[in-house]
Amino acid sequence: DAGVIQSPRHEVTEMGQEVTLRCKPISGHNSLFWYRQTMMRGLELLIYFNNNVPIDDSGMPEDRFSAKMPNASFSTLKIQPSEPRDSAVYFCASSSTGRVTDTQYFGPGTRLTVL
Amino acid sequence: QQPVQSPQAVILREGEDAVINCSSSKALYSVHWYRQKHGEAPVFLMILLKGGEQKGHEKISASFNEKKQQSSLYLTASQLSYSGTYFCGTEVSGGGADGLTFGKGTHLIIQP
């Protein structure tokens, strides 16, 4: 199995630009999670989906952030407009069922730098 | 609320033992342990469910005391490959309605 796939691996953009991060979960997994990792705040859950439906988006920092999961094999996290404080590593993870107690498999992450 | 991990960092010689603690102010349903190496994604180690169970994987084991809302990760006879940052992730509800809340991590350095 290829594991969770994220793209791009690195993104450098200027403040005010739109940024789209992409994730392909492990085939057959029903749950998908987006995390953000910074030195200051550690690993934070932004949003998670179960069977393509957003279950908990309370971690999304503000309206500039949006996430979609149009089908079982693809999700996007969009930041519009981006700000320097959005610079972080964004991880996508998937698990086989909707229960949080299942193992979450993380993708390699996207390192975002907003100048 | 974010669980508190201690210590923040520890340096060991190869072969020594380490204990990493994770405490929460909320009643926990499950605790998840992950290890992350520099520049890589977190990798799952184990999950402990409400009930005070203890689990082990090779020389890494963990316990979960639900009364104290605390979990500990034990690394025995540490190897160089154990170096990395260890995170605990906690789940409160048990109903699958919440995601995991991770601690800030414990940096473990194993020296030869």
Side-chain angles (χ1 to χ4, degrees), chain B residues 47-95:
Chain B
I47 294 172
L48 298 105
L49 301 177
K50 185 177 177 180
E53 64 175 338
Q54 186 156 352
K55 278 193 174 180
H57 174 68
E58 297 181 346
K59 294 181 180 177
I60 300 176
S61 62
S63 62
F64 177 25
N65 186 326
E66 64 191 82
K67 289 183 180 178
K68 293 185 177 179
Q69 294 145 209
Q70 214 170 47
S71 178
S72 295
L73 187 71
Y74 307 94
L75 297 99
T76 307
S78 56
Q79 305 169 12
L80 294 175
S81 62
Y82 289 0
S83 291
T85 303
Y86 290 77
F87 293 95
C88 68
T90 56
E91 182 200 4
V92 174
S93 71

Side-chain angles (χ1 to χ4, degrees), chain B residues 1-67:
Chain B
Q1 189 171 356
Q2 197 172 34
V4 177
Q5 289 187 232
S6 63
Q8 289 185 322
V10 59
I11 301 174
L12 297 175
R13 293 277 182 200
E14 199 173 3
E16 292 181 336
D17 301 340
V19 180
I20 299 171
N21 299 304
C22 175
S23 297
S24 173
S25 59
K26 293 186 174 183
L28 299 177
Y29 182 81
S30 67
V31 179
H32 305 224
W33 286 97
Y34 285 79
R35 176 171 61 207
Q36 184 179 30
K37 293 189 180 283
H38 183 69
E40 299 180 8
V43 174
F44 169 77
L45 292 176
M46 63 188 76
I47 294 172
L48 298 105
L49 301 177
K50 185 177 177 180
E53 64 175 338
Q54 186 156 352
K55 278 193 174 180
H57 174 68
E58 297 181 346
K59 294 181 180 177
I60 300 176
S61 62
S63 62
F64 177 25
N65 186 326
E66 64 191 82
K67 289 183 180 178

Side-chain angles (χ1 to χ4, degrees), chain A residues 9 33 35 37 39-45 48 55-56 91 98-109 111, chain B residues 2 29-30 32 34 36 39-44 47 49 87 91 94-104 107:
Chain A
R9 293 293 308 276
F33 306 81
Y35 292 92
Q37 187 174 38
M39 289 293 292
M40 289 296 295
R41 301 174 69 91
L43 198 58
E44 302 173 279
L45 176 67
Y48 86 90
I55 301 299
D56 181 6
F91 288 103
R99 291 203 54 78
V100 178
T101 44
D102 288 325
T103 303
Q104 294 184 27
Y105 297 89
F106 281 73
R111 182 173 294 276
Chain B
Q2 197 172 34
Y29 182 81
S30 67
H32 305 224
Y34 285 79
Q36 184 179 30
E40 299 180 8
V43 174
F44 169 77
I47 294 172
L49 301 177
F87 293 95
E91 182 200 4
D98 301 321
L100 291 177
T101 304
F102 283 93
K104 288 196 172 180
H107 302 282

Side-chain angles (χ1 to χ4, degrees), chain A residues 77-96:
Chain A
L77 178 68
K78 186 176 293 187
I79 308 172
Q80 167 63 18
S82 58
E83 296 182 4
R85 59 192 168 120
D86 301 331
S87 297
V89 179
Y90 290 81
F91 288 103
C92 173
S94 70
S95 68
S96 59

Side-chain angles (χ1 to χ4, degrees), chain A residues 18 20 24 42 46-47 61 75-76 80 83:
Chain A
E18 177 180 298
T20 299
K24 177 179 170 54
L46 299 177
I47 185 171
S75 177
T76 59
Q80 167 63 18
E83 296 182 4

